[in-house]
Amino acid sequence: MSANAIFQNMSLFSSSPPTLATNSQKVPTFKISPNSQKPAIIPSLKQICRQDNFKESVFTLSNLIETCAFEKALLQGQQIHAHVLKFGLSGDDSVFLNTKIVFMYGKCGSIGDAQKVFDRMTERTVFTWNAMIGACVVNGVPIRAIELYGDMRFLGVALDAHTLSSTLKATSQLEVLYCGSEIHGVAIRLGLISNVFVVNSLVTMYTKCNDIGAATLLFNGMSEKEDTVSWNSMISAYTINGMNQEALNLFIEMLNASVEPTTYTFVAAIQACEETSFGKFGIEIHAVVLKLGYSFDTYVVNALLMMYIKNNRLDEAAKIFFHMQEKDNISWNSMISGYVQNGLYDEAINLFHEMKNAGQKPDHVSLMSMLVASGRQGNLLNGMEIHAFSLRNGLDSDLQVRNTLVDMYAKCGKLDYMDSVFGRMLHRDSVSWTTIIAAYAQNNFPWKAMQLFREVQAEGSHVDALMIGSVLLACTELRCNLLAKEIHCYVIKRGIYDPFMQKTLVSVYGDCGNVDYANSIFRLSEVKDVVSFTSMMCSYVQNGLANEALGLMLCMNEMRIEADFVAVLSMLTAAADLSSLRKGKEIHGFLVRKGLLLQDSIRSSLIDMYASCGTLENSYKVFNYLKSKDPVCWTSMINACGLHGCGRKAIDIFTRMEKENILPDHITFLAVLRACSHAALIEDGKRIFKLMQSKYTLEPWPEHYACFVDLLGRANHLEEAFQIVKTMNLEDIPAVWCALLGACQVYANKELGEIAAMKLLELEPKNPGNYVLVSNVYAATNRWDDVEEVRVTMKGKGLKKDPACSWIQVGDRVHTFVAQDKSHPECDKIYEKLAYLTEKLEKEAGYVAQTKYVLHKVEEKEKVKLLKGHSERLAIAYSLLASTDRNPIRITKNLRICSDCHTFSKLASKYLEREIIVRDAKRFHHFRDGICSCGDFW
């Protein structure tokens, strides 16, 4: 029967109100003799049973039973019980001793034996009932305790303060407010509402039932507040419910009322100071602890230890810990956990060994901290040592330990060991499933993660938001819209579609390329905060919609939502993608005002942004401003130089990096190799490629080989590049063949180009860019039938070529142009301006259209017309219309600039006496006075 049902039927138990126990009942009080020793129990039994004074024997047995209860000596207690049965007692003595035996069995954890003794008693006093109710509460059977209370009401047994206090503890365990409120009413009717034990139990009950208001009202209504327990109950209630300010105010009020604090008072008050905003007050309480002589109380010192750890004052915590005279498991575990939480894993491991050497036996909490440390360090050997320790000491059966073992092996990359631990788990909770699903999702096994989630669904196990988060991570890895939609529907049906889940889904749909769904969820979200906006901005940026991402920045300003450094990173990426120098500078100014420049990721992103916006000098300024530079900053600066064709400067920065003992990684070498490729530094590129393997023992990635092949191909070392592809077994890397094919097109190597083209289409049959490149190679050699065949193949596979597109920012607007574009509002003026400029260049600068770069089978006049309508030329013309100053014209193009437009831009820069900066798909071109920074090598 449920607790609510018991109380709803309470009116059936008795027609009259419960009666108060009177002092006329002669029942001895329970007193435990703390000086009793267990070895003295058994030898005295026969002597006791032979005593002539029977009454004296009864009281001696009573003391022995109490000693058994105090010492939790079940075996000796059972032996005493057997001797009591031999006595064949009756009357008050039988009731008295059996009540003691019920109490003893309850304290020893043998609730079944207590119930048997209780059921066999034909006579019971209120103390018998109280002993049985207390036994149920202590042994975690609160429902039975409430049933006994109901039986007392039904039988008209007089209730006392102990009855109500014990029953209230049972309702606290069940957190059933209805039951507690009913007992509150009984206490008022019996006049026990002023009893300190009853009031304290009521305060605890209301706290456990999340009715802190009722608990406060009850406490404030007390006429006398001299009992420390009452204060402790209320302070603990505030602390448990996160009302730290109220807890500390009450602690101060308690001291001002001259009520002596106890261990429990200090523990509750110190726990209220674990929140960092109350750390200063915690130090003041520490001073009070020292003043009142509680500095040797282990419970108080443990609380101080945790308070300093949670306030990030690890040095103070360590001082307290190492000065403790007596350390229990909580002390050791707290300090070890503090080291782990602060990333001091070696210190945590050393302390764990000190704990064992000190004779303190580690428990499951100790092992969990050590496993977390091993996992975060990637220290497989130490993790396996802890695993072995858990097996030897029988701690491996603990569910939390096994869950942490699964996580540790996952973080160490040993998925087979992880799977073995998981497979041997007889019982699994949602944490178990979430941990292993997350492990597979994070270690590039998304299908395995989804398979495990299907098992969870099939078993009907509990699914929470954390598990769904891991499943959505797998969807992101798979880039599968269908799965994302399925999980989306699932969370709505399960009622866990909260704001956090909405933000996660925005990111997932963005990663899966479904920006429309992401935008729909974002717009319909009732709660929009900086995380929501950041998720949506990232989705836009990842899908090439940088302009829309920057538009969200304006919405954030309108809603007065301040961007954090993660949001700023997305903004910088968007500004870099658009080559929007103006927006980039605005964001830089915001970072300076908000003091966010200290973040390493922000620094490197600023270097990238300025480089991507065509101002390498600003990248240098940011780089040189930094006093401390991490490897990412060095790599960003090397990449910036390479992007602008400054290969020699990139190598110089790499050399400086080496001199400052900053270890380069794979990304650093990739940036240096690209810089060498763009600047045609063949020998330097070869030297750095060898240096990567010989000095730094870094195994090249496919991207490094592709870059090295590109380097050789650009310098017309095609045969050498082809030999590297064959000897290094690079035939299955599409990027390598793409680089080789591009070089073959430039240097008209038909034979090698044919091989590269066939291999590229074989490896990536669904990449439209490859078909376009192959088609261009065929067109350059007038193989129009092959060109047509490629185009028919593309059409049959549903593949489309990305149209050439250029854009330019004027004021706050970004203007986009495609080839032969007629959509711009000032279209006529743009073409008129372009025609005028072209005519001037033809007459005064010697420009002649190079129609060989028009890879279409059309008439010569049509080819000239097509060249004149290229998107970058339209952007130049519009820039001349929109601005008359001498500032550089900054253009961004999504594809590689063609040779004719390259020549046109060089001549235009000299004629206009104005720098033209073009960022194409490969690199930057700075056109000044008729010369390009690329040296006509791109």
Side-chain angles (χ1 to χ4, degrees):
M1 184 182 292
S2 69
N4 279 340
I6 292 168
F7 278 86
Q8 287 167 358
N9 295 316
M10 195 68 75
S11 59
L12 300 176
F13 297 156
S14 176
S15 57
S16 59
T19 56
L20 181 64
T22 63
N23 293 327
S24 60
Q25 293 173 291
K26 296 180 180 179
V27 182
T29 57
F30 289 6
K31 292 183 180 178
I32 297 175
S33 175
N35 296 322
S36 301
Q37 300 294 322
K38 281 192 283 186
I41 292 175
I42 301 304
S44 64
L45 284 178
K46 292 182 179 179
Q47 297 173 5
I48 292 165
C49 295
R50 292 171 184 162
Q51 288 179 5
D52 295 330
N53 189 336
F54 185 74
K55 283 289 182 186
E56 189 175 335
S57 278
V58 170
F59 280 103
T60 305
L61 284 170
S62 170
N63 286 334
L64 288 172
I65 293 169
E66 286 189 1
T67 303
C68 290
F70 179 75
E71 298 287 344
K72 291 185 171 53
L74 178 60
L75 181 61
Q76 291 88 344
Q78 288 172 333
Q79 292 174 355
I80 295 170
H81 185 192
H83 282 279
V84 171
L85 292 173
K86 288 180 181 179
F87 267 132
L89 299 176
S90 61
D92 290 343
D93 293 320
S94 174
V95 174
F96 172 65
L97 283 179
N98 280 325
T99 298
K100 292 280 189 177
I101 290 168
V102 170
F103 174 78
M104 180 272 295
Y105 279 131
K107 285 292 184 181
C108 292
S110 185
I111 186 70
D113 288 331
Q115 185 68 56
K116 288 177 183 177
V117 175
F118 180 81
D119 290 341
R120 288 170 183 163
M121 292 175 68
T122 55
E123 294 181 47
R124 302 170 185 142
T125 65
V126 65
F127 300 104
T128 311
W129 288 92
N130 289 347
M132 192 62 224
I133 291 173
C136 292
V137 172
V138 169
N139 289 280
V141 195
I143 284 285
R144 178 59 185 150
I146 294 174
E147 288 175 349
L148 288 166
Y149 169 76
D151 292 343
M152 290 179 74
R153 294 282 305 277
F154 179 77
L155 297 170
V157 179
L159 309 177
D160 63 6
H162 188 77
T163 311
L164 299 186
S165 179
S166 296
T167 311
L168 283 167
K169 288 178 183 176
T171 59
S172 297
Q173 291 178 11
L174 292 169
E175 297 182 10
V176 182
L177 183 59
Y178 175 84
C179 300
S181 300
E182 198 276 343
I183 297 172
H184 189 175
V186 171
I188 293 172
R189 292 200 299 275
L190 294 178
L192 293 173
I193 196 60
S194 59
N195 182 283
V196 67
F197 298 108
V198 174
V199 173
N200 290 341
S201 297
L202 279 167
V203 168
T204 303
M205 180 275 297
Y206 280 121
T207 302
K208 291 282 188 181
C209 294
N210 296 317
D211 193 347
I212 194 70
T216 304
L217 193 65
L218 194 62
F219 178 79
N220 292 336
M222 293 173 65
S223 56
E224 295 182 5
K225 299 177 183 175
E226 297 179 357
D227 181 60
T228 307
V229 178
S230 304
W231 292 89
N232 290 349
S233 299
M234 203 62 229
I235 293 171
S236 296
Y238 281 136
T239 302
I240 290 168
N241 283 273
M243 302 170 69
N244 298 325
Q245 186 66 62
E246 290 80 356
L248 295 173
N249 289 342
L250 197 59
F251 175 71
I252 295 169
E253 187 181 333
M254 178 182 180
L255 295 180
N256 292 336
S258 299
V259 179
E260 186 75 18
T262 65
T263 296
Y264 299 104
T265 317
F266 282 118
V267 169
I270 292 167
Q271 286 174 343
C273 298
E274 289 179 357
E275 190 177 324
T276 53
S277 56
F278 297 107
K280 188 176 180 181
F281 199 92
I283 298 171
E284 294 177 9
I285 295 178
H286 190 175
V288 177
V289 167
L290 294 171
K291 183 178 179 181
L292 296 181
Y294 280 86
S295 57
F296 297 105
D297 187 307
T298 305
Y299 295 103
V300 175
V301 179
N302 284 342
L304 283 169
L305 196 61
M306 281 307 301
M307 185 269 292
Y308 280 118
I309 288 170
K310 291 195 174 180
N311 277 272
N312 298 317
R313 298 173 66 95
L314 205 60
D315 291 341
E316 294 295 328
K319 286 178 185 177
I320 292 172
F321 176 79
F322 288 111
H323 281 89
M324 289 177 72
Q325 293 184 349
E326 293 185 12
K327 302 181 182 80
D328 60 8
N329 266 34
I330 295 174
S331 314
W332 289 97
N333 290 342
S334 297
M335 199 64 230
I336 291 171
S337 175
Y339 281 136
V340 173
Q341 290 168 17
N342 286 272
L344 302 172
Y345 306 122
D346 290 333
E347 288 82 350
I349 292 169
N350 292 336
L351 194 61
F352 176 76
H353 291 304
E354 283 184 38
M355 179 183 185
K356 291 192 294 181
N357 294 335
Q360 193 77 34
K361 188 175 181 180
D363 58 13
H364 72 284
V365 178
S366 320
L367 296 192
M368 286 167 63
S369 293
M370 293 310 301
L371 290 170
V372 169
S374 303
R376 291 180 182 175
Q377 267 192 320
N379 190 336
L380 177 64
L381 187 62
N382 191 72
M384 294 178 72
E385 181 184 333
I386 302 300
H387 190 179
F389 180 90
S390 72
L391 290 168
R392 288 195 304 271
N393 292 274
L395 294 170
D396 65 309
S397 58
D398 183 272
L399 181 60
Q400 290 179 304
V401 171
R402 289 203 168 189
N403 287 342
T404 316
L405 274 168
V406 169
D407 183 63
M408 181 274 294
Y409 281 125
K411 284 184 168 61
C412 291
K414 298 298 290 183
L415 299 190
D416 51 343
Y417 291 3
M418 173 197 75
D419 208 36
S420 176
V421 173
F422 184 79
R424 290 198 303 270
M425 294 173 70
L426 298 177
H427 173 68
R428 299 163 182 161
D429 61 3
S430 62
V431 177
S432 314
W433 287 104
T434 301
T435 303
I436 195 163
I437 289 171
Y440 278 116
Q442 293 166 5
N443 284 278
N444 301 317
F445 289 94
W447 276 118
K448 180 65 176 176
M450 292 304 303
Q451 180 186 340
L452 287 167
F453 179 63
R454 299 297 186 211
E455 289 183 32
V456 174
Q457 290 177 300
E459 288 186 6
S461 301
H462 175 68
V463 176
D464 57 14
L466 286 175
M467 189 184 296
I468 293 296
S470 299
V471 173
L472 287 172
L473 176 61
C475 293
T476 301
E477 291 293 319
L478 290 167
R479 298 289 191 272
C480 182
N481 258 310
L482 189 62
L483 279 175
K485 290 176 183 179
E486 179 187 335
I487 304 301
H488 188 176
C489 294
Y490 181 83
V491 297
I492 293 174
K493 290 177 181 177
R494 293 297 299 263
I496 49 178
Y497 189 60
D498 56 13
F500 174 78
M501 192 62 66
Q502 291 171 352
K503 296 165 193 172
T504 306
L505 280 165
V506 168
S507 297
V508 171
Y509 278 125
D511 290 334
C512 293
N514 196 339
V515 184
D516 291 338
Y517 268 54
N519 187 40
S520 178
I521 295 171
F522 173 75
R523 284 188 295 100
L524 295 173
S525 298
E526 295 180 4
V527 179
K528 290 185 176 70
D529 55 14
V530 65
V531 179
S532 310
F533 275 96
T534 303
S535 299
M536 195 62 234
M537 274 194 284
C538 288
S539 295
Y540 278 139
V541 170
Q542 290 167 7
N543 288 277
L545 300 171
N547 207 30
E548 286 80 354
L550 291 176
L552 284 181
M553 185 172 70
L554 299 176
C555 294
M556 287 180 70
N557 292 335
E558 291 172 2
M559 295 177 66
R560 297 186 178 180
I561 297 174
E562 189 169 293
D564 59 10
F565 88 95
V566 181
V568 171
L569 281 175
S570 296
M571 295 176 190
L572 285 171
T573 305
D577 288 350
L578 284 173
S579 296
S580 177
L581 182 61
R582 181 171 178 173
K583 287 292 183 185
K585 286 183 174 180
E586 287 178 13
I587 298 166
H588 191 175
F590 172 82
L591 290 170
V592 172
R593 291 194 302 275
K594 298 299 179 181
L596 294 174
L597 284 174
L598 297 177
Q599 298 282 348
D600 288 337
S601 53
I602 291 288
R603 297 170 176 182
S604 56
S605 293
L606 271 174
I607 294 171
D608 286 334
M609 182 274 295
Y610 278 121
S612 298
C613 291
T615 57
L616 186 61
E617 59 276 14
N618 283 348
S619 292
Y620 269 117
K621 286 178 182 178
V622 173
F623 180 75
N624 293 328
Y625 170 79
L626 303 176
K627 293 181 180 178
S628 62
K629 305 176 183 73
D630 66 354
V632 180
C633 288
W634 287 94
T635 302
S636 295
M637 195 63 234
I638 292 169
N639 185 63
C641 292
L643 196 61
H644 288 265
C646 303
R648 188 58 60 191
K649 288 182 180 178
I651 293 173
D652 290 342
I653 292 171
F654 176 74
T655 304
R656 281 174 55 194
M657 181 181 182
E658 286 188 301
K659 287 180 180 178
E660 294 194 22
N661 295 319
I662 306 293
L663 285 176
D665 57 14
H666 282 89
I667 306 298
T668 310
F669 279 103
L670 193 58
V672 180
L673 287 171
R674 282 176 177 167
C676 292
S677 178
H678 287 311
L681 301 174
I682 309 300
E683 295 306 317
D684 290 287
K686 289 181 177 180
R687 177 179 61 82
I688 287 167
F689 191 76
K690 291 178 181 177
L691 187 72
M692 172 186 180
Q693 300 170 75
S694 60
K695 183 177 180 180
Y696 295 100
T697 63
L698 294 174
E699 189 64 30
W701 293 346
E703 291 84 355
H704 294 96
Y705 284 114
C707 197
F708 190 54
V709 169
D710 183 61
L711 170 70
L712 295 173
R714 284 170 179 270
N716 200 15
H717 294 189
L718 294 174
E719 287 301 325
E720 184 180 354
F722 185 54
Q723 288 303 315
I724 288 175
V725 173
K726 290 195 296 183
T727 56
M728 298 304 296
N729 296 319
L730 305 177
E731 288 93 341
D732 294 332
I733 302 175
V736 170
W737 293 108
C738 187
L740 194 59
L741 181 59
C744 290
Q745 181 186 359
V746 172
Y747 293 106
N749 190 321
K750 297 179 183 179
E751 183 180 348
L752 194 54
E754 186 75 28
I755 296 171
M758 292 178 63
K759 195 68 180 177
L760 188 60
L761 295 182
E762 176 189 328
L763 292 173
E764 286 188 332
K766 294 184 179 180
N767 186 341
N770 294 339
Y771 288 92
V772 173
L773 183 57
V774 171
S775 174
N776 290 342
V777 170
Y778 290 155
T781 55
N782 296 318
R783 295 169 59 181
W784 300 113
D785 291 340
D786 292 331
V787 170
E788 185 61 27
E789 184 180 343
V790 170
R791 289 175 180 171
V792 169
T793 303
M794 283 184 69
K795 188 175 181 180
K797 293 186 175 183
L799 303 175
K800 291 183 179 181
K801 173 188 174 183
D802 291 330
C805 173
S806 298
W807 58 92
I808 185 169
Q809 183 172 8
V810 177
D812 287 328
R813 288 193 60 192
V814 175
H815 298 264
T816 305
F817 301 92
V818 295
Q820 317 301 321
D821 197 349
K822 303 282 186 179
S823 62
H824 198 278
E826 299 182 62
C827 172
D828 293 338
K829 292 181 180 180
I830 291 170
Y831 275 99
E832 185 179 335
K833 189 70 175 178
L834 180 57
Y836 173 79
L837 178 61
T838 304
E839 185 180 350
K840 285 291 183 182
L841 293 181
E842 287 173 342
K843 290 181 179 180
E844 300 179 22
Y847 167 69
V848 177
Q850 302 173 69
T851 55
K852 65 178 180 178
Y853 296 114
V854 179
L855 304 176
H856 296 278
K857 192 177 181 180
V858 293
E859 296 294 330
E860 195 70 14
K861 288 183 179 180
E862 186 63 25
K863 289 183 178 181
V864 173
K865 185 179 178 181
L866 289 172
L867 285 173
K868 290 181 178 179
H870 278 193
S871 61
E872 52 266 59
R873 302 193 196 195
L874 297 176
I876 292 172
Y878 181 72
S879 178
L880 296 174
L881 284 175
S883 61
T884 56
D885 53 34
R886 294 291 179 180
N887 289 331
I889 298 171
R890 301 178 185 277
I891 299 167
T892 306
K893 184 178 172 71
N894 66 332
L895 302 178
R896 180 179 179 273
I897 186 172
C898 76
S899 295
D900 188 66
C901 288
H902 191 269
T903 302
F904 181 90
S905 299
K906 284 196 298 182
L907 297 174
S909 69
K910 185 175 183 179
Y911 173 77
L912 297 170
E913 297 180 355
R914 191 170 177 181
E915 183 180 6
I916 300 174
I917 302 172
V918 178
R919 175 191 173 188
D920 69 5
K922 294 288 185 181
R923 55 168 295 157
F924 268 92
H925 300 265
H926 293 261
F927 300 100
R928 298 188 191 97
D929 298 323
I931 300 172
C932 181
S933 60
C934 72
D936 297 337
F937 183 89
W938 77 103

